[in-house]
Amino acid sequence: MIFAGLLLVQPACAVSLRAALDQAWGTSPQAQTLEAKRAESEAQTVAANSLLPGAPAVILSHRGDQLTNNAGLTEWEAGIALPIWLPGQRDARQSQALVGKSGLEASIRALRLKLVGELRETIWQVHLTQTQIQLDEARVQTAKKLAEDVAKRVRAGELAKTDLNLAQNEWRTAQAAVLLSRTQLLHALQAYSTLTGMTALPDDSAESAQPKPLPDDHPLLEAARQAIATAQAHVRLAGESRRDNPELELGMRRERSSLNDPYADSVIIALRLPLSTDARNLPLISAAQTGLANAQSEFNRTRLTLEFQLQQAEQSLQAADQLLELAQQQRAAAQENLGLIQKAFDLGETDLFTLLRARAAAFEAGQACMQQEIALALARARLNQAQGILP
């Protein structure tokens, strides 16, 4: 009980939902992977802006007749082979690198939205269990007071021993509920701590929300849109790379025909131009076009899913608001009824069983109202989540 009770005490320092999200981002393996891809994206940009599409190659060769007639034929050659960009290929590669950067940033925002969605659910689960504990502890106090009052009246001969047993069992039931709620709070806080690496809850977790259409800059929609742009860049690059890169060879040759001849030097300039074939190009182009079709299909599916989720969130918020109003009315009626029955019990006009039933009804009504208040706050957070709002 002691370790669970300690979890009820939150640190005094203020924590915002944005700060909690940053903490969750720092502990997420997926986030670390995306952050590491920034360096990869920069490397792609450097490669696209390079003067050469690939690494140059050094050429060294020697030719002689030492193993044949040994007439003194000797030839040495040294040079370098430089790959050359195909027409339009470099621009396509630069566009691909630029789109890749934008796509990475969109993926980061989409993952942050996913994390804040988990954060919102976890935070309100903690609030729910905390409020449940407060309600259960208040029930313990009233049950204890009732058991003490019944014990006095039993000693005075006004009530039977069975009534005392009922009152004491009600007290024990309330104590058991507190223990169960504290265990649930422990689990909720552990889930929050696992997600964020801290125990302090945000002090701005209660969000305001207003229904509005699906924004075009929704992080998930933007990520799907950037996936299309990335696939289009792949298609363009495949179209501009219909053959392997040509190579320009520059070198020097030193040679003689026989032992009596002097060495002669010459300059080598050669161009290696690979040919374009369907066997090479069709698989690459088809794969790029398939990726584009998949990205477009995924974008349409994402938009429909987000619109459906937004509609669901708006309906849930409206229903939660109406349910809270009904729960408040039920709680007021149950409290008023309990007050009347309590007075009747104090005057000896009703029995303990009727009072306990009224207490149970009042507790259930109060619990339902409390749960509905949390449900309304969570519905607002879920609407913000469906709208793609980041803290």
Side-chain angles (χ1 to χ4, degrees), residues 83 85 94 102 105 125 149 186 221 241 252 263 287 305 309 390:
W85 290 105
Q94 289 173 338
S102 301
E105 296 302 323
Q125 183 61 37
D149 292 342
L186 173 63
L221 199 62
S241 306
M252 292 290 297
Y263 279 100
T305 301
Q309 291 175 346
L390 288 166

Side-chain angles (χ1 to χ4, degrees), residues 1 136-148 150-151 161-181 352 356 363:
M1 291 180 61
D136 289 337
E137 288 177 342
R139 181 186 177 191
V140 168
Q141 295 302 318
T142 56
K144 179 182 178 182
K145 184 176 182 301
L146 176 63
E148 292 172 349
V150 170
K161 178 66 173 179
T162 55
D163 291 334
L164 178 59
N165 291 335
L166 285 175
Q168 290 177 339
N169 281 338
E170 172 67 14
W171 184 21
R172 297 185 185 100
T173 300
Q175 289 175 314
V178 170
L179 293 175
L180 179 60
S181 296
L352 180 61
L356 291 178
F363 176 78

Side-chain angles (χ1 to χ4, degrees), residues 252-264:
M252 292 290 297
R253 179 180 296 163
R254 185 175 178 84
E255 60 183 341
R256 68 179 182 183
S257 300
S258 65
L259 293 173
N260 297 324
D261 294 334
Y263 279 100

